[in-house]
Amino acid sequence: MTSAAMPQTSRRKTAPAGPAIRLVGLSKRFGETTAVDSVDLEIRSGEFFSMLGPSGSGKTTVLRLIAGFELPTAGVIELDGKDVSARAPFERDVNTVFQDYALFPHMSLIENVAYGLRVRGVAKAVRRQRAAEALEQVQLGSFLDRRPSQLSGGQRQRVALARALVVRPKVLLLDEPLGALDLKLRQQMQVELKELQQELGITFIFVTHDQEEALTMSDRIGVFNKGRIEQVGTPEEIYERPNGPFVANFVGTSNIFPGTLGRSLYGRDDRFSVRPERIQLRPLPPEGPGTGIALTVTALVYLGHATQVRGTLPDGTTAVALIPVTAGRGGEFAVGQPAVLSWNRQDVVWLPPAS
Amino acid sequence: MKLSRSARITLGTLTAVVLLFIYVPLLLVVINSFNGDRSFGWPPRSFTLEWWSRAFQSEGVREAIATSLWVALISTAISLVLGTLLALALQRHDFFGKDVINLLVILPIALPGIVTGIALNNLFTTVLGVSLSLWTVIIAHATFCMVTVFNNAIARLRRTNSSFEEASSDLGAGIFTTFRLVTLPQLRSALVAGGLLAFALSFDEIIVTTFTIGAGQQTLPVWILNNLFRPNQAPVVNVVAVVLIIASVVPVWLAQRLSGDAIGTTRSRKKASPGITKASSTAR
């Protein structure tokens, strides 16, 4: 996907006023289970928004509600300021890239991509032309008459993207589209997707359980847990200033220290977290831990770029530190040996009291 | 599973005996349709095509064949429409009483024909007060022919991913366009298989037919029953029986080949399966 991708789509460079999507008190229940629990969210026009959360957190259901595959139990879905809560999927100006791509197996690639134009009554010559161009731009221009079954996962993913974008939606919904790809291809597609989104200026809503993916690609992230949104913010805000233990732990690993430690160190009763890479670790000097905190090493995990050191504090709290390979000090620690933890005051993130 | 030698011999013999009992009589009918001896002396001494030509010249036989074809075609057409709609409703949607309806739809194929026959005869003649005709036969046949279409269609729908229909809808297609362009092509070979079975079921049905057919009308099986014990018609009955065998076996054989899976989609489904499994496990 080069910079000329999807030329049919008008370039909307800067976001106009008003959100592309507004969810108000959105809830969805399946029988006894509440999949989405009163979600309020505004997604700005032209932004790359990721919905991040573990399986069963409700992020995919929110996406399906926006697409119209499910109807909400309560709440309102506004698209460009218009209430579309009760509309059918084909009456909504959003398109979806499905997790399994859902390419029609009985149609060739060009028929798949032309499908949205065909059902809109676009003349055959025109729609074939536009579909061929769209496939050209995802580097599948020579595969027009192949069947989806003859393609690799990455190629199917591109076809699904071309098929959704050729009809020029206002919002593109992507349901874990990179989940089935291997790591290398996934990283490449992350970059391409982001570039494509910036080119087109279309609002992308991207569902993922991969925190790294969300951090890399998004303008903003909404972190989902148990059908609710825990926190909405830029990747930096989410990572550096998590608003609670769930976000702190789900987005990267975090050390969460108890309120008792907060009291003894800073005179404040709240829990706080410190990222493993912000922690300094050194072997216990003979004269005692000094200003640091003593810990017993319980495990050393070699990660390639760093060594992860896990340990237990005297009060039983577990802690994790990352020792970069450049520091070359992984060898100083051994399982069962004592060590000393320390960190800078500005790396402390205070967590609100557990509710 | 590895079987012992004696077990293999026993099972092989049993299979052979069972198959002989099924197919030797059929073969006998076929041979006798060419037997020159009017009383079917065995072994046949001469060969003749007379019974075949007599059968084709017989007004009664030709009318009965035409009637059977008409009944089978119309009841198959009705079964295709209703069976497909039922399968779509029961597989793609959730509603109150779904399981009960599922059972009620399949039940007619298990009901004894005589019960269906008597029940429908009562309904038509005493409750509704309509006179029996070919249409009452067609309706009666459709009650159980529908099941074969339904079973084939629902089995296929269970295996095809409903995200194809969602994708179609997402791309702007209404319900009927989605059915025509996406659902129906996936169902096609299953519907052909179900339709052929339905046709075969209807074409040689006799019990329900005798209870629901109007006076003076005959389907092929009814004609056979009526002429079986008339000595001068016996050779012709053999010929008609052979025609019935062919008319039933060919559709069933075709249906079996088609219902396995359409060539080409097997491969794609296998390839796509990891993605599909993943989708269903993380869907909510």
Side-chain angles (χ1 to χ4, degrees):
Chain A
M1 269 156 279
T2 54
S3 62
M6 315 294 162
Q8 309 86 1
T9 313
S10 60
R11 296 190 179 201
R12 278 166 284 176
K13 214 54 200 176
T14 45
I21 287 191
R22 206 155 77 94
L23 310 178
V24 187
L26 192 66
S27 294
K28 178 66 184 178
R29 277 188 289 280
F30 296 103
E32 294 293 295
T33 50
T34 302
V36 179
D37 190 6
S38 189
V39 163
D40 295 298
L41 180 64
E42 284 193 4
I43 296 169
R44 295 169 196 146
S45 200
E47 85 175 327
F48 196 120
F49 189 90
S50 288
M51 303 206 279
L52 175 66
S55 309
S57 59
K59 58 194 192 304
T60 294
T61 307
V62 170
L63 196 81
R64 293 175 57 81
L65 285 163
I66 295 172
F69 303 137
E70 311 280 357
L71 291 180
T73 313
V76 174
I77 300 164
E78 275 178 21
L79 184 59
D80 253 0
K82 284 190 290 287
D83 182 356
V84 297
S85 312
R87 295 236 190 117
F90 51 84
E91 296 168 322
R92 302 186 186 196
D93 207 358
V94 298
N95 283 102
T96 307
V97 175
F98 290 81
Q99 186 176 35
D100 60 3
Y101 314 138
L103 300 176
F104 306 128
H106 58 289
M107 294 184 193
S108 65
L109 298 199
I110 191 157
E111 286 169 337
N112 261 287
V113 175
Y115 187 85
L117 302 170
R118 179 178 175 188
V119 300
R120 280 171 175 74
V122 175
K124 186 164 185 178
V126 179
R127 67 180 190 240
R128 279 189 75 89
Q129 170 76 21
R130 275 175 59 185
E133 281 167 16
L135 279 166
E136 190 68 49
Q137 272 124 28
V138 293
Q139 289 124 43
L140 290 170
S142 52
F143 291 177
L144 299 186
D145 294 313
R146 293 222 185 156
R147 297 279 161 142
S149 59
Q150 296 168 297
L151 301 185
S152 71
Q155 290 169 328
R156 283 185 217 180
Q157 212 264 345
R158 288 160 195 265
V159 178
L161 206 54
R163 184 178 70 173
L165 286 172
V166 82
V167 294
R168 302 172 191 171
K170 288 202 184 82
V171 177
L172 187 71
L173 309 174
L174 303 106
D175 185 7
E176 307 216 16
L178 310 182
L181 307 181
D182 60 61
L183 182 66
K184 258 274 181 302
L185 196 52
R186 196 158 71 224
Q187 287 170 339
Q188 182 194 340
M189 285 307 296
Q190 286 172 7
V191 176
E192 289 188 12
L193 268 181
K194 179 69 184 169
E195 283 174 2
L196 181 70
Q197 188 266 338
Q198 284 169 336
E199 268 307 311
L200 301 175
I202 292 179
T203 312
F204 275 34
I205 303 178
F206 188 89
V207 163
T208 181
H209 61 261
D210 182 338
Q211 45 100 9
E212 205 178 303
E213 203 164 88
L215 292 173
T216 324
M217 301 168 77
S218 319
D219 294 322
R220 285 195 309 153
I221 299 172
V223 184
F224 280 71
N225 182 32
K226 294 178 183 158
R228 291 173 168 277
I229 294 185
E230 293 273 342
Q231 187 175 359
V232 178
T234 64
E236 211 173 358
E237 287 166 356
I238 297 282
Y239 190 80
E240 299 290 343
R241 295 280 170 255
N243 69 352
F246 178 82
V247 177
N249 258 327
F250 190 76
V251 185
T253 39
S254 266
N255 294 294
I256 298 186
F257 295 110
T260 47
L261 194 62
R263 167 145 296 279
S264 65
L265 291 176
Y266 306 109
R268 185 173 162 178
D269 259 335
D270 293 324
R271 293 181 299 170
F272 61 97
S273 85
V274 183
R275 292 285 179 193
E277 65 271 25
R278 302 292 166 83
I279 283 183
Q280 289 97 47
L281 196 65
R282 55 195 157 87
L284 185 70
E287 69 272 14
T291 54
I293 298 161
L295 136 153
T296 310
V297 176
T298 56
L300 294 165
V301 182
Y302 179 67
L303 301 176
H305 60 92
T307 301
Q308 194 186 57
V309 183
R310 294 166 179 274
T312 318
L313 268 52
D315 67 352
T317 310
T318 56
V320 182
L322 272 186
I323 313 295
V325 162
T326 48
R329 294 194 328 212
E332 293 173 78
F333 307 101
V335 173
Q337 295 301 305
V340 180
L341 283 179
S342 56
W343 54 78
N344 292 327
R345 178 71 178 83
Q346 71 261 27
D347 291 328
V348 170
V349 177
W350 292 99
L351 301 175
S355 52
Chain B
M1 194 170 57
K2 188 92 176 124
L3 290 174
S4 75
R5 196 179 139 78
S6 58
R8 263 185 300 160
I9 291 172
T10 316
L11 289 173
T13 315
L14 264 176
T15 310
V17 169
V18 168
L19 288 177
L20 281 178
F21 261 96
I22 297 171
Y23 289 102
V24 167
L26 287 180
L27 196 66
L28 216 61
V29 171
V30 175
I31 292 171
N32 270 339
S33 74
F34 298 104
N35 192 337
D37 183 357
R38 179 171 279 274
S39 58
F40 306 134
W42 195 262
R45 283 194 204 91
S46 57
F47 170 88
T48 180
L49 285 174
E50 190 197 339
W51 316 132
W52 280 85
S53 80
R54 280 252 301 272
F56 281 107
Q57 276 157 19
S58 156
E59 188 79 11
V61 172
R62 279 192 307 201
E63 262 176 31
I65 290 180
T67 307
S68 272
L69 278 176
W70 168 254
V71 168
L73 280 175
I74 303 294
S75 53
T76 301
I78 294 174
S79 303
L80 279 172
V81 174
L82 295 183
T84 309
L85 290 175
L86 274 167
L88 280 172
L90 289 173
Q91 165 61 24
R92 291 289 195 252
H93 298 275
D94 257 322
F95 51 86
F96 177 76
K98 180 171 148 169
D99 294 337
V100 178
I101 290 181
N102 204 335
L103 181 69
L104 290 178
V105 168
I106 301 175
L107 213 52
I109 205 145
L111 276 181
I114 191 118
V115 174
T116 312
I118 293 170
L120 285 169
N121 181 286
N122 275 338
L123 176 81
F124 288 135
T125 54
T126 58
V127 179
L128 295 179
V130 294
S131 52
L132 296 178
S133 65
L134 287 187
W135 287 107
T136 51
V137 179
I138 286 167
I139 291 169
H141 283 192
T143 61
F144 53 84
C145 288
M146 200 167 71
V147 182
T148 68
V149 175
F150 170 79
N151 277 341
N152 272 279
I154 203 162
R156 177 64 54 86
L157 286 175
R158 282 203 188 103
R159 277 183 298 157
T160 54
N161 199 337
S162 63
S163 69
F164 294 138
E165 281 136 41
E166 286 180 352
S168 169
S169 176
D170 188 64
L171 289 164
I175 293 161
F176 294 105
T177 312
T178 294
F179 178 77
R180 185 166 58 84
L181 297 179
V182 175
T183 316
L184 194 57
Q186 313 269 351
L187 278 180
R188 190 169 286 138
S189 62
L191 290 182
V192 171
L196 285 169
L197 284 173
F199 184 89
L201 264 186
S202 165
F203 195 75
D204 61 8
E205 212 288 330
I206 183 149
I207 304 172
V208 177
T209 312
T210 46
F211 281 97
T212 49
I213 198 161
Q217 285 167 317
Q218 288 183 328
T219 61
L220 205 55
V222 172
W223 183 91
I224 292 178
L225 190 66
N226 290 343
N227 289 275
L228 192 58
F229 301 110
R230 295 182 189 167
N232 62 334
Q233 289 284 36
V236 178
V237 167
N238 273 329
V239 173
V240 175
V242 174
V243 171
L244 259 180
I245 291 172
I246 296 167
S248 318
V249 167
V250 171
V252 172
W253 174 74
L254 278 175
Q256 208 178 28
R257 292 197 47 170
L258 286 168
S259 62
D261 218 329
I263 305 114
T265 55
T266 324
R267 197 178 30 159
S268 70
R269 189 163 299 121
K270 255 186 205 143
K271 261 193 163 176
S273 59
I276 291 167
T277 342
K278 198 159 184 307
S280 52
S281 62
T282 55
R284 316 233 131 103

